[in-house]
Amino acid sequence: MIRELAAVAVGGAVGTGMRFALDLAFATEDGLFPVSTLIANIVGSFVLAVVVAELWEKLPDWARAGLGAGLLGSFTTFSALAVAFVHLASTNQWLLALIYVTATMVLGLAAAALGLRLGHARARRPDLVNE
Amino acid sequence: MTAAVVFAILGAGAAGAVLRYLTARAFASHDGFPWAVLIVNVAGSALGGLLAGLAHIGTIDPNLEIVMLTGLCGGLTTFSTLSVETMQIVSLKSIRVAFLSGAANLVLGIGVAAAMYFWLIALAS
């Protein structure tokens, strides 16, 4: 349990740092479309799906905790999505707010579905991993 | 922004992730509904709305705001686990549970964030 918690903490710090770096790279003012959060959520969904489908069975508990709950769980965020919606709505940009949330859900779920398919396909063909 | 603020963001993100992990272990799905993600996302969004409201009325230090918002709330909440779990539930043919979970996260998460934000602003005016 201690080892898993340590892995989650380390992964959580790294994932948060990567998300923060994206925020700095794609800085947006309040009331605008936060591209960095959208990118983090789509990329994080895809990578977690691949890791879960392809590697989950092969990884020890601490590695699952550090990669899944830690790194990718913290790289992606829901609170920033909710706050972005509130900022957009509070400046009467309702259409943009709806587009933002819809884009996150549709693209995030599609990325997860794609990642799961890809991961399962790769897990069934371990001989291709080293190519 | 100082190095101390960046380290505080990373530390808060780690703390949020640990809280989320402990929540996931405490609410290991017994009925097929992903409760843990809903709980952390709603709690983190409520805190996020509160912080955004405090920032709007100008009663929070900008450094503390970013440590709490990007660090703690960002680390506590997650989108990747929500999206991957939802698609796994879909592949188990439980479309209804998948839809309910996604809708509950969106409606409750955004709902509490908005409620906290506008409540604080109303309180301050």
Side-chain angles (χ1 to χ4, degrees), chain A residues 60-101:
Chain A
D61 285 347
W62 66 267
R64 293 186 193 189
L67 264 179
L71 184 73
L72 294 160
S74 293
F75 179 55
T76 61
T77 176
F78 193 86
S79 55
L81 172 68
V83 169
F85 184 94
V86 173
H87 275 148
L88 290 169
S90 70
T91 49
N92 277 321
Q93 303 181 81
W94 285 97
L95 183 63
L96 202 56
L98 284 173
I99 290 172
Y100 186 66
V101 169

Short mmCIF file of all heavy atoms in Angstrom, two decimals, chain A residues 60-101:
data_model
loop_
_atom_site.label_atom_id
_atom_site.label_comp_id
_atom_site.label_asym_id
_atom_site.label_seq_id
_atom_site.Cartn_x
_atom_site.Cartn_y
_atom_site.Cartn_z
N PRO A 60 3.02 -4.62 -12.32
CA PRO A 60 2.79 -4.79 -10.88
C PRO A 60 1.86 -3.68 -10.37
O PRO A 60 1.71 -2.64 -11.03
CB PRO A 60 4.18 -4.66 -10.28
CG PRO A 60 4.98 -3.90 -11.28
CD PRO A 60 4.40 -4.23 -12.63
N ASP A 61 1.27 -3.90 -9.19
CA ASP A 61 0.29 -2.95 -8.64
C ASP A 61 0.82 -1.52 -8.55
O ASP A 61 0.12 -0.57 -8.88
CB ASP A 61 -0.16 -3.41 -7.24
CG ASP A 61 -1.12 -4.58 -7.32
OD1 ASP A 61 -1.62 -4.84 -8.44
OD2 ASP A 61 -1.36 -5.22 -6.29
N TRP A 62 2.08 -1.38 -8.08
CA TRP A 62 2.60 -0.02 -7.89
C TRP A 62 2.75 0.71 -9.23
O TRP A 62 2.53 1.92 -9.31
CB TRP A 62 3.93 -0.04 -7.12
CG TRP A 62 5.07 -0.69 -7.87
CD1 TRP A 62 5.45 -1.99 -7.81
CD2 TRP A 62 5.95 -0.05 -8.81
NE1 TRP A 62 6.51 -2.21 -8.65
CE2 TRP A 62 6.85 -1.04 -9.27
CE3 TRP A 62 6.07 1.25 -9.31
CZ2 TRP A 62 7.84 -0.76 -10.21
CZ3 TRP A 62 7.06 1.53 -10.24
CH2 TRP A 62 7.94 0.52 -10.68
N ALA A 63 3.08 -0.03 -10.30
CA ALA A 63 3.24 0.61 -11.61
C ALA A 63 1.88 1.04 -12.17
O ALA A 63 1.75 2.11 -12.77
CB ALA A 63 3.94 -0.33 -12.58
N ARG A 64 0.85 0.20 -11.96
CA ARG A 64 -0.50 0.59 -12.37
C ARG A 64 -0.93 1.86 -11.65
O ARG A 64 -1.49 2.79 -12.25
CB ARG A 64 -1.51 -0.49 -12.01
CG ARG A 64 -1.35 -1.78 -12.75
CD ARG A 64 -2.51 -2.65 -12.36
NE ARG A 64 -2.32 -4.03 -12.77
CZ ARG A 64 -3.26 -4.95 -12.70
NH1 ARG A 64 -4.44 -4.64 -12.21
NH2 ARG A 64 -3.02 -6.17 -13.10
N ALA A 65 -0.67 1.88 -10.33
CA ALA A 65 -1.08 3.03 -9.53
C ALA A 65 -0.33 4.29 -9.97
O ALA A 65 -0.93 5.36 -10.13
CB ALA A 65 -0.82 2.75 -8.04
N GLY A 66 0.97 4.16 -10.19
CA GLY A 66 1.77 5.33 -10.56
C GLY A 66 1.44 5.86 -11.94
O GLY A 66 1.35 7.07 -12.15
N LEU A 67 1.22 4.94 -12.90
CA LEU A 67 0.92 5.35 -14.28
C LEU A 67 -0.53 5.78 -14.45
O LEU A 67 -0.82 6.80 -15.06
CB LEU A 67 1.16 4.16 -15.22
CG LEU A 67 2.49 4.05 -15.95
CD1 LEU A 67 2.49 2.78 -16.78
CD2 LEU A 67 2.70 5.27 -16.84
N GLY A 68 -1.45 4.97 -13.93
CA GLY A 68 -2.88 5.22 -14.14
C GLY A 68 -3.42 6.31 -13.26
O GLY A 68 -3.72 7.42 -13.72
N ALA A 69 -3.52 6.02 -11.96
CA ALA A 69 -4.07 7.00 -11.03
C ALA A 69 -3.13 8.21 -10.90
O ALA A 69 -3.57 9.35 -10.83
CB ALA A 69 -4.29 6.37 -9.65
N GLY A 70 -1.81 7.95 -10.89
CA GLY A 70 -0.85 9.04 -10.71
C GLY A 70 -0.66 9.89 -11.94
O GLY A 70 -1.26 10.96 -12.08
N LEU A 71 0.17 9.41 -12.86
CA LEU A 71 0.60 10.23 -14.01
C LEU A 71 -0.57 10.67 -14.90
O LEU A 71 -0.79 11.86 -15.10
CB LEU A 71 1.62 9.45 -14.83
CG LEU A 71 2.23 10.21 -16.00
CD1 LEU A 71 3.19 11.26 -15.50
CD2 LEU A 71 2.95 9.27 -16.96
N LEU A 72 -1.32 9.70 -15.44
CA LEU A 72 -2.35 10.05 -16.43
C LEU A 72 -3.61 10.60 -15.76
O LEU A 72 -4.29 11.46 -16.32
CB LEU A 72 -2.66 8.84 -17.31
CG LEU A 72 -1.44 8.47 -18.16
CD1 LEU A 72 -1.52 7.04 -18.66
CD2 LEU A 72 -1.30 9.44 -19.32
N GLY A 73 -3.88 10.13 -14.54
CA GLY A 73 -5.02 10.68 -13.81
C GLY A 73 -4.83 12.15 -13.51
O GLY A 73 -5.77 12.94 -13.61
N SER A 74 -3.60 12.54 -13.16
CA SER A 74 -3.33 13.94 -12.82
C SER A 74 -3.06 14.81 -14.03
O SER A 74 -3.27 16.01 -13.99
CB SER A 74 -2.12 14.03 -11.89
OG SER A 74 -2.44 13.47 -10.66
N PHE A 75 -2.56 14.21 -15.10
CA PHE A 75 -2.34 14.97 -16.34
C PHE A 75 -3.67 15.47 -16.87
O PHE A 75 -3.78 16.60 -17.34
CB PHE A 75 -1.63 14.08 -17.37
CG PHE A 75 -1.36 14.75 -18.68
CD1 PHE A 75 -0.65 15.94 -18.74
CD2 PHE A 75 -1.83 14.20 -19.86
CE1 PHE A 75 -0.40 16.57 -19.95
CE2 PHE A 75 -1.58 14.81 -21.08
CZ PHE A 75 -0.87 16.00 -21.12
N THR A 76 -4.70 14.63 -16.77
CA THR A 76 -6.02 15.05 -17.21
C THR A 76 -6.77 15.67 -16.02
O THR A 76 -6.40 15.49 -14.87
CB THR A 76 -6.83 13.86 -17.75
OG1 THR A 76 -6.99 12.90 -16.71
CG2 THR A 76 -6.13 13.22 -18.93
N THR A 77 -7.81 16.43 -16.32
CA THR A 77 -8.51 17.13 -15.25
C THR A 77 -9.98 17.31 -15.60
O THR A 77 -10.34 17.38 -16.78
CB THR A 77 -7.88 18.51 -14.99
OG1 THR A 77 -8.65 19.20 -14.00
CG2 THR A 77 -7.84 19.36 -16.24
N PHE A 78 -10.81 17.32 -14.59
CA PHE A 78 -12.22 17.62 -14.82
C PHE A 78 -12.58 19.00 -14.26
O PHE A 78 -13.41 19.70 -14.82
CB PHE A 78 -13.10 16.54 -14.17
CG PHE A 78 -14.53 16.62 -14.63
CD1 PHE A 78 -14.94 15.99 -15.78
CD2 PHE A 78 -15.46 17.36 -13.92
CE1 PHE A 78 -16.25 16.09 -16.23
CE2 PHE A 78 -16.77 17.46 -14.35
CZ PHE A 78 -17.17 16.82 -15.50
N SER A 79 -11.91 19.39 -13.16
CA SER A 79 -12.25 20.68 -12.53
C SER A 79 -11.98 21.85 -13.48
O SER A 79 -12.76 22.81 -13.53
CB SER A 79 -11.48 20.85 -11.23
OG SER A 79 -10.09 20.70 -11.43
N ALA A 80 -10.88 21.77 -14.26
CA ALA A 80 -10.57 22.86 -15.19
C ALA A 80 -11.62 22.95 -16.28
O ALA A 80 -11.95 24.04 -16.76
CB ALA A 80 -9.18 22.65 -15.80
N LEU A 81 -12.17 21.80 -16.67
CA LEU A 81 -13.26 21.76 -17.65
C LEU A 81 -14.50 22.45 -17.09
O LEU A 81 -15.14 23.28 -17.75
CB LEU A 81 -13.56 20.30 -17.99
CG LEU A 81 -14.77 19.96 -18.85
CD1 LEU A 81 -14.58 20.46 -20.27
CD2 LEU A 81 -15.00 18.46 -18.87
N ALA A 82 -14.84 22.11 -15.83
CA ALA A 82 -16.02 22.71 -15.19
C ALA A 82 -15.84 24.22 -15.01
O ALA A 82 -16.75 25.00 -15.30
CB ALA A 82 -16.28 22.03 -13.84
N VAL A 83 -14.65 24.62 -14.56
CA VAL A 83 -14.38 26.05 -14.35
C VAL A 83 -14.37 26.80 -15.68
O VAL A 83 -14.88 27.93 -15.77
CB VAL A 83 -13.06 26.25 -13.57
CG1 VAL A 83 -12.63 27.72 -13.58
CG2 VAL A 83 -13.20 25.75 -12.14
N ALA A 84 -13.83 26.18 -16.73
CA ALA A 84 -13.82 26.81 -18.05
C ALA A 84 -15.25 27.05 -18.53
O ALA A 84 -15.58 28.12 -19.06
CB ALA A 84 -13.07 25.94 -19.05
N PHE A 85 -16.13 26.05 -18.31
CA PHE A 85 -17.54 26.20 -18.70
C PHE A 85 -18.16 27.39 -17.96
O PHE A 85 -18.85 28.22 -18.56
CB PHE A 85 -18.31 24.92 -18.38
CG PHE A 85 -19.75 24.95 -18.83
CD1 PHE A 85 -20.12 24.43 -20.07
CD2 PHE A 85 -20.74 25.52 -18.03
CE1 PHE A 85 -21.43 24.47 -20.50
CE2 PHE A 85 -22.06 25.56 -18.45
CZ PHE A 85 -22.40 25.03 -19.69
N VAL A 86 -17.88 27.47 -16.65
CA VAL A 86 -18.45 28.56 -15.83
C VAL A 86 -17.94 29.92 -16.29
O VAL A 86 -18.71 30.87 -16.42
CB VAL A 86 -18.15 28.32 -14.34
CG1 VAL A 86 -18.58 29.52 -13.50
CG2 VAL A 86 -18.85 27.07 -13.84
N HIS A 87 -16.64 30.01 -16.58
CA HIS A 87 -16.08 31.28 -17.07
C HIS A 87 -16.72 31.70 -18.38
O HIS A 87 -17.08 32.86 -18.57
CB HIS A 87 -14.57 31.15 -17.26
CG HIS A 87 -13.79 31.41 -16.00
ND1 HIS A 87 -12.61 30.78 -15.72
CD2 HIS A 87 -14.03 32.23 -14.94
CE1 HIS A 87 -12.15 31.20 -14.55
NE2 HIS A 87 -13.00 32.06 -14.05
N LEU A 88 -16.86 30.74 -19.30
CA LEU A 88 -17.46 31.06 -20.60
C LEU A 88 -18.93 31.45 -20.43
O LEU A 88 -19.39 32.44 -21.00
CB LEU A 88 -17.33 29.86 -21.55
CG LEU A 88 -15.92 29.54 -22.05
CD1 LEU A 88 -15.88 28.20 -22.76
CD2 LEU A 88 -15.43 30.65 -22.98
N ALA A 89 -19.65 30.69 -19.62
CA ALA A 89 -21.08 30.97 -19.43
C ALA A 89 -21.28 32.31 -18.72
O ALA A 89 -22.22 33.05 -19.03
CB ALA A 89 -21.73 29.83 -18.63
N SER A 90 -20.40 32.63 -17.77
CA SER A 90 -20.57 33.86 -16.99
C SER A 90 -20.29 35.10 -17.84
O SER A 90 -20.67 36.21 -17.46
CB SER A 90 -19.65 33.86 -15.76
OG SER A 90 -18.31 33.99 -16.17
N THR A 91 -19.63 34.92 -18.99
CA THR A 91 -19.44 36.05 -19.90
C THR A 91 -20.38 35.91 -21.11
O THR A 91 -20.12 36.47 -22.17
CB THR A 91 -17.97 36.14 -20.37
OG1 THR A 91 -17.55 34.85 -20.84
CG2 THR A 91 -17.06 36.56 -19.23
N ASN A 92 -21.46 35.14 -20.89
CA ASN A 92 -22.51 34.97 -21.91
C ASN A 92 -22.05 34.30 -23.19
O ASN A 92 -22.66 34.47 -24.24
CB ASN A 92 -23.18 36.31 -22.24
CG ASN A 92 -24.25 36.64 -21.22
OD1 ASN A 92 -24.98 35.74 -20.79
ND2 ASN A 92 -24.35 37.89 -20.82
N GLN A 93 -20.96 33.52 -23.11
CA GLN A 93 -20.52 32.78 -24.29
C GLN A 93 -21.03 31.35 -24.18
O GLN A 93 -20.24 30.40 -24.14
CB GLN A 93 -19.00 32.83 -24.40
CG GLN A 93 -18.44 34.25 -24.46
CD GLN A 93 -16.94 34.27 -24.58
OE1 GLN A 93 -16.39 34.12 -25.67
NE2 GLN A 93 -16.26 34.44 -23.47
N TRP A 94 -22.35 31.22 -24.11
CA TRP A 94 -22.97 29.91 -23.88
C TRP A 94 -22.66 28.91 -24.98
O TRP A 94 -22.42 27.73 -24.71
CB TRP A 94 -24.49 30.06 -23.74
CG TRP A 94 -24.86 30.63 -22.42
CD1 TRP A 94 -25.12 31.94 -22.13
CD2 TRP A 94 -24.98 29.91 -21.18
NE1 TRP A 94 -25.38 32.07 -20.79
CE2 TRP A 94 -25.32 30.86 -20.19
CE3 TRP A 94 -24.83 28.57 -20.83
CZ2 TRP A 94 -25.50 30.50 -18.86
CZ3 TRP A 94 -25.02 28.21 -19.51
CH2 TRP A 94 -25.35 29.17 -18.54
N LEU A 95 -22.69 29.40 -26.22
CA LEU A 95 -22.45 28.49 -27.34
C LEU A 95 -21.02 27.91 -27.26
O LEU A 95 -20.83 26.70 -27.38
CB LEU A 95 -22.65 29.23 -28.68
CG LEU A 95 -22.49 28.35 -29.92
CD1 LEU A 95 -23.55 27.25 -29.93
CD2 LEU A 95 -22.58 29.19 -31.19
N LEU A 96 -20.06 28.80 -26.98
CA LEU A 96 -18.67 28.36 -26.87
C LEU A 96 -18.52 27.39 -25.69
O LEU A 96 -17.79 26.39 -25.79
CB LEU A 96 -17.77 29.58 -26.68
CG LEU A 96 -16.30 29.42 -27.05
CD1 LEU A 96 -16.14 28.96 -28.49
CD2 LEU A 96 -15.54 30.73 -26.83
N ALA A 97 -19.22 27.67 -24.59
CA ALA A 97 -19.17 26.79 -23.41
C ALA A 97 -19.67 25.39 -23.77
O ALA A 97 -19.05 24.38 -23.42
CB ALA A 97 -20.00 27.38 -22.28
N LEU A 98 -20.80 25.33 -24.48
CA LEU A 98 -21.37 24.04 -24.88
C LEU A 98 -20.46 23.31 -25.87
O LEU A 98 -20.27 22.10 -25.77
CB LEU A 98 -22.77 24.24 -25.49
CG LEU A 98 -23.87 24.53 -24.47
CD1 LEU A 98 -25.18 24.87 -25.17
CD2 LEU A 98 -24.07 23.34 -23.53
N ILE A 99 -19.91 24.08 -26.81
CA ILE A 99 -19.01 23.47 -27.80
C ILE A 99 -17.78 22.90 -27.09
O ILE A 99 -17.32 21.79 -27.40
CB ILE A 99 -18.57 24.51 -28.87
CG1 ILE A 99 -19.75 24.88 -29.76
CG2 ILE A 99 -17.41 23.98 -29.71
CD1 ILE A 99 -19.46 26.03 -30.72
N TYR A 100 -17.27 23.63 -26.11
CA TYR A 100 -16.07 23.20 -25.39
C TYR A 100 -16.31 21.86 -24.66
O TYR A 100 -15.52 20.93 -24.78
CB TYR A 100 -15.62 24.27 -24.39
CG TYR A 100 -14.31 23.92 -23.74
CD1 TYR A 100 -13.15 23.87 -24.49
CD2 TYR A 100 -14.25 23.61 -22.39
CE1 TYR A 100 -11.94 23.53 -23.91
CE2 TYR A 100 -13.04 23.26 -21.81
CZ TYR A 100 -11.90 23.22 -22.57
OH TYR A 100 -10.72 22.86 -22.00
N VAL A 101 -17.40 21.80 -23.91
CA VAL A 101 -17.70 20.57 -23.15
C VAL A 101 -18.02 19.41 -24.09
O VAL A 101 -17.55 18.28 -23.89
CB VAL A 101 -18.85 20.83 -22.17
CG1 VAL A 101 -19.35 19.53 -21.57
CG2 VAL A 101 -18.38 21.75 -21.04
#
